[in-house]
Structures are given as C-alpha cells and as structure tokens.
Amino acid sequence: DAKTTQPNSMESNEEEPVHLPCNHSTISGTDYIHWYRQLPSQGPEYVIHGLTSNVNNRMASLAIAEDRKSSTLILHRATLRDAAVYYCILRENAGGTSYGKLTFGQGTILTVHP
Amino acid sequence: DAGVTQSPTHLIKTRGQHVTLRCSPISGHKSVSWYQQVLGQGPQFIFQYYEKEERGRGNFPDRFSARQFPNYSSELNVNALLLGDSALYLCASSWVTSGVGNEQFFGPGTRLTVL
C-alpha cells in the first residue's frame, strides 16, 4: 500500500480555517485519496475523498496537487467539535487486491482552541 | 437509522482465554471489516468479509479468526489471548468491497483488556 506522511499535530483557533497537509509521493495513478477522522472515544468517520480534482462536501474540501503527490484537507471554519485525529489514506480503485482495506498511518492530531 | 453496532462495549479477559466480539452492520451493507487499534496508534486492518466470504486478511496470527453470518453480522474470535491483544477492536461496514464510493462506516468499538 502506498504510504502517506502527515504532521503529528496541528493547532487552530475556533472559527478559523485549517489546512491539514498530506504527502503521498508514491501514489499510483489508480489510488484514491481518502480522509477519515477519529473523534475522542469514537470510531473513525469518513470525511472526503478524491482522485485528481478538488472536491467539496458539507464537512470539508480536498485540494489535490496537480502531480497528485500531495493533498490538503481544508476545514473552512474549525469548531471545537472538529478536534480529532485526521487520517490521510490512499485506496486502490475497483479491481485492486486491497478490497475494503484502509491502511491508517499515525494521522494528525488537530487541537482547536476556543 | 441505526449505525454499526458492536458488543460488548468493554471486556476484560486473562491471558490464554479466548474472546468473541460481535458486529452488526448498517442495514443493507454486505461488507464487514475488522480493525485493531492499540492505544496511540491508527487502526490496523485484520479482516474483511463480503457476502459471507473472507476477502482480505491483514498481518495477524492465526489466533485471530472471523466469520460473517447470512444476515451479514460478523464475529471476531481471538484465541490464546496475549497481553498485546489489549486494544480497541473496530468493526466497519460498507456497501461494496472496493471502488471509489466505498466509504466505510465504523462502529464505536469494543475495548478489550487482557490481564
């Protein structure tokens, strides 16, 4: 499985934007970039995913570099409820042998200050 | 709608015992995956089942086994427990095994403590 690299921790103030970076220099052409987050005492939660184009949903935006070797998860206005561990994960597209497996790294611990 | 449910919530066992953890997927989901999360680490993939067949296995010893039932619920069994098996065991369900839309929905987990 392709590897991702994320900062161990980041801090933000409430209601400010947060940009969470992820490096994935060995990404293959068929790998999708997924983001999950894990709030304290809960299971991981899907945030967003994309392939080449930037993506937006109700939770966040995903900006993908043109060469796809890095991406950034953007929380437009951080709230205290966004404090969590954020995981950047590469997943093979349909037909790959990874089936449903998610390969989690260490993730980024996001702290949001009031 | 109910999310993924897991039982029990917490469990304490002693070394050498065996344990069975249970998972009920979201209604309509046919794929169930199991993960182990040791404190301070990200979840590690153990198994995936789809339509009652094993479709993926992580790097775990044969002491770990699982199965999926006709109603798509699943059990994870761990034999001969070791202290290192103490962890949060997470179950996740999804519509299909792979593909771009394969968002996985996680349950709250079972906290296993081995003494």
Side-chain angles (χ1 to χ4, degrees):
Chain A
D1 295 313
K3 184 177 173 59
T4 63
T5 304
Q6 299 177 251
N8 290 332
S9 63
M10 292 186 65
E11 297 187 15
S12 174
N13 295 319
E14 198 173 14
E15 297 192 5
E16 290 185 354
V18 180
H19 291 232
L20 297 166
C22 180
N23 288 318
H24 28 79
S25 58
T26 59
I27 190 171
S28 74
T30 57
D31 287 341
Y32 277 73
I33 302 160
H34 286 242
W35 284 80
Y36 280 72
R37 72 180 184 180
Q38 188 170 19
L39 279 65
S41 302
Q42 294 188 27
E45 172 188 36
Y46 168 83
V47 178
I48 200 168
H49 75 272
L51 181 62
T52 56
S53 303
N54 294 344
V55 184
N56 301 294
N57 66 20
R58 64 176 178 81
M59 291 181 68
S61 295
L62 176 60
I64 301 173
E66 193 169 338
D67 63 4
R68 301 210 326 124
K69 293 186 177 181
S70 65
S71 61
T72 302
L73 179 70
I74 303 166
L75 307 179
H76 294 286
R77 291 184 65 193
T79 69
L80 297 178
R81 290 173 293 178
D82 290 323
V85 180
Y86 287 78
Y87 296 98
C88 171
I89 299 166
L90 300 183
R91 299 194 66 193
E92 290 183 41
N93 199 356
T97 58
S98 63
Y99 303 108
K101 179 173 70 172
L102 291 172
T103 301
F104 290 83
Q106 291 288 96
T108 296
I109 301 172
L110 176 64
T111 301
V112 180
H113 300 290
Chain B
D1 290 336
V4 176
T5 59
Q6 294 186 243
S7 63
T9 305
H10 296 86
L11 200 53
I12 299 175
K13 292 285 189 177
T14 57
R15 283 176 294 175
Q17 288 188 310
H18 76 274
V19 67
T20 298
L21 309 180
R22 296 178 175 81
C23 171
S24 292
I26 292 172
S27 178
H29 285 189
K30 298 181 178 181
S31 177
V32 170
S33 298
W34 287 95
Y35 293 81
Q36 179 196 67
Q37 186 172 26
V38 175
L39 198 61
Q41 304 288 324
Q44 299 298 305
F45 174 76
I46 309 175
F47 286 111
Q48 190 209 12
Y49 277 77
Y50 177 68
E51 289 282 15
K52 302 179 286 297
E53 292 187 2
E54 182 184 303
R55 295 301 185 94
R57 171 186 283 258
N59 188 25
F60 280 81
D62 292 343
R63 298 185 297 109
F64 289 77
S65 63
R67 56 178 175 170
Q68 187 176 31
F69 299 100
N71 67 353
Y72 303 109
S73 68
S74 179
E75 286 183 351
L76 175 69
N77 295 283
V78 186
N79 293 324
L81 286 167
L82 303 174
L83 296 179
D85 295 330
S86 295
L88 179 67
Y89 288 86
L90 295 159
C91 174
S93 75
S94 60
W95 287 104
V96 293
T97 57
S98 62
V100 62
N102 188 18
E103 172 186 348
Q104 294 203 9
F105 296 81
F106 284 82
T110 293
R111 173 70 62 187
L112 172 66
T113 301
V114 182
L115 302 177

